[in-house]
Amino acid sequence: MSTEQGIALVDRDEDGVDRAFREDVLAGLHQRQKAIPARWLYDDAGSQLFEDITELEEYYPTRAETEILEARGQQFAELIGKGRAVVEFGSGSSVKTPLLLRAIEPAAYVPLDISGDFLRMSAAALAEKFPALNVYPVEADFMRQVELPSEVFGAKKLGFFPGSTIGNMVARTAVDLLRSMRATLGAGRDEMPLLLIGMDLVKDRQVLEAAYDDARGVTGEFNLNLARRINRELGGNIPVDALRHLARWNDDFARIEMHLQAVRDIAFTVAGESFTMSEGETIHTENSHKFTRRSANMLLLAGGWAPKKRWTDEQGRFSLILAEATEKRDAP
């Protein structure tokens, strides 16, 4: 067993600030509709709050996906095979990732995550459960192509992207991510890599809105933590008490939208730049797109992946899809 401390690939300035975080926040706050990419919700505090969200009664996706992983292990083993290097895009869940690893008996496990401390904590916990497994955590922004550790360079690979995180992205960004995953996993060698990806499904509006605006307010704290992170890491002075969590279903785009809405007129600075928000104005912080079978297939194919097998939970709320990287081609 080998558990590395992790390879850090995040670009930071001399003050330790993540340059991409600062650039995305400043660019997003200057837009007419203020918006910040959802991946910045996941610092260490945000990652822990999300773990808390997955245990809420209203938040069905984790339970539904876990149900699939528990019920379909034999099929995963048959279709995926043993001895692959599992590359997980995002630190592994303490529940879901072990279910997959037990089913397919991988040669190595490589979790990729932008939150370094949470990544190393998750990787260490996983290594304790699988003492014979080589674990190589990599601190990196997996929205871009990532260079994997040399120890897994020649191995057959399985990408694992659970939780329907792909739904957080607009279509063009999701396609770019799927293509960068394909490049990270090394498509084009003798055997094409595989991808096991979670996609949430379209369902009743009330069920969806409750899942993102729970009665205990945990999702609200998760959303507000982004403002606290900006204040802490980028020298901001956003009045967090003047913001409220807002979650709503947008039927035209088949997605839940999360926003931080100003409850009064406010002015603040971030990284030395000044901003204002009028009462009722929002910062768009997250999308969670929901899929049909056709829209899921179209997205995967556009990103260079051909669906091979699909599973859903018994209530048909959530899907796990196994896809294979396709050959690059310029014609139909």
Side-chain angles (χ1 to χ4, degrees):
M1 185 274 291
S2 172
T3 307
E4 303 296 332
Q5 290 300 306
I7 303 170
L9 300 177
V10 176
D11 182 19
R12 301 184 186 278
D13 65 17
E14 61 276 6
D15 297 321
V17 175
D18 186 322
R19 296 178 194 272
F21 178 45
R22 181 175 57 214
E23 291 171 3
D24 280 353
V25 168
L26 292 177
L29 291 177
H30 278 299
Q31 293 176 172
R32 183 183 298 275
Q33 168 59 72
K34 293 177 171 59
I36 297 172
R39 67 181 179 273
W40 302 117
L41 291 162
Y42 296 90
D43 64 344
D44 291 340
S47 295
Q48 185 55 62
L49 282 164
F50 183 72
E51 289 294 307
D52 296 339
I53 288 170
T54 64
E55 299 176 2
L56 295 170
E57 180 180 354
E58 298 96 328
Y59 194 78
Y60 63 86
T62 300
R63 291 190 301 277
E65 190 172 31
T66 300
E67 177 189 317
I68 300 168
L69 287 163
E70 289 176 334
R72 304 298 184 179
Q74 182 60 40
Q75 292 182 38
F76 296 149
E78 292 172 357
L79 292 168
I80 295 169
K82 299 179 181 180
R84 287 185 180 265
V86 174
V87 179
E88 183 164 5
F89 297 89
S91 289
S93 161
S94 59
V95 175
K96 289 184 287 190
T97 305
L99 291 171
L100 175 65
L101 299 182
R102 290 192 185 99
I104 66 170
E105 299 180 36
Y109 172 64
V110 184
L112 312 178
D113 201 275
I114 202 166
S115 178
D117 290 342
F118 191 80
L119 166 72
R120 285 179 281 274
M121 180 178 66
S122 299
L126 214 292
E128 287 185 9
K129 292 182 179 180
F130 297 88
L133 180 64
N134 293 318
V135 179
Y136 306 105
V138 177
E139 182 182 356
D141 180 359
F142 62 71
M143 295 297 296
R144 303 174 177 86
Q145 182 178 346
V146 177
E147 183 176 347
L148 298 177
S150 59
E151 290 87 349
V152 301
F153 181 76
K156 296 181 294 184
K157 299 189 180 63
L158 169 72
F160 186 40
F161 197 39
S164 200
T165 305
I166 194 72
N168 293 153
M169 300 152 206
V170 296
R172 67 178 180 277
T173 307
V175 169
D176 287 345
L177 173 60
L178 289 167
R179 289 173 176 170
S180 73
M181 287 177 167
R182 189 177 181 278
T184 293
L185 295 171
R189 294 175 185 156
D190 292 340
E191 185 167 349
M192 288 294 187
L194 300 175
L195 176 67
L196 185 62
I197 184 170
M199 290 192 180
D200 198 8
L201 302 176
V202 172
K203 58 185 65 65
D204 183 77
R205 175 177 187 154
Q206 291 183 327
V207 173
L208 289 167
E209 290 187 344
Y212 294 85
D213 193 10
D214 61 280
R216 288 174 48 195
V218 180
T219 311
E221 283 301 304
F222 172 67
N223 201 9
L224 288 163
N225 180 68
L226 176 59
R228 298 188 182 101
R229 179 184 184 184
I230 291 169
N231 286 348
R232 183 178 63 253
E233 296 186 23
L234 302 180
N237 60 0
I238 301 171
V240 179
D241 63 348
L243 300 175
R244 76 177 184 100
H245 168 66
L246 180 66
R248 61 194 182 198
W249 172 249
N250 185 326
D251 196 59
D252 289 339
F253 293 100
R255 71 190 186 197
I256 285 283
E257 295 180 0
M258 285 192 352
H259 294 252
L260 290 172
Q261 185 178 51
V263 299
R264 63 176 188 267
D265 294 350
I266 58 175
F268 56 91
T269 61
V270 174
E273 298 190 23
S274 298
F275 303 93
T276 61
M277 293 179 68
S278 302
E279 180 180 353
E281 188 178 352
T282 70
I283 304 171
H284 191 170
T285 56
E286 185 177 74
N287 293 316
S288 186
H289 291 85
K290 308 305 173 184
F291 298 92
T292 64
R293 183 185 185 95
R294 286 191 178 95
S295 65
N297 285 352
M298 183 176 294
L299 186 68
L300 286 166
L301 289 165
W305 298 91
K308 291 172 59 71
K309 180 71 175 178
R310 177 189 314 269
W311 300 269
T312 64
D313 63 295
E314 286 193 0
Q315 295 184 45
R317 299 169 294 178
F318 194 93
S319 65
L320 261 178
I321 302 169
L322 182 66
E324 183 178 43
T326 58
E327 295 279 1
K328 291 183 179 180
R329 50 192 294 180
D330 298 322

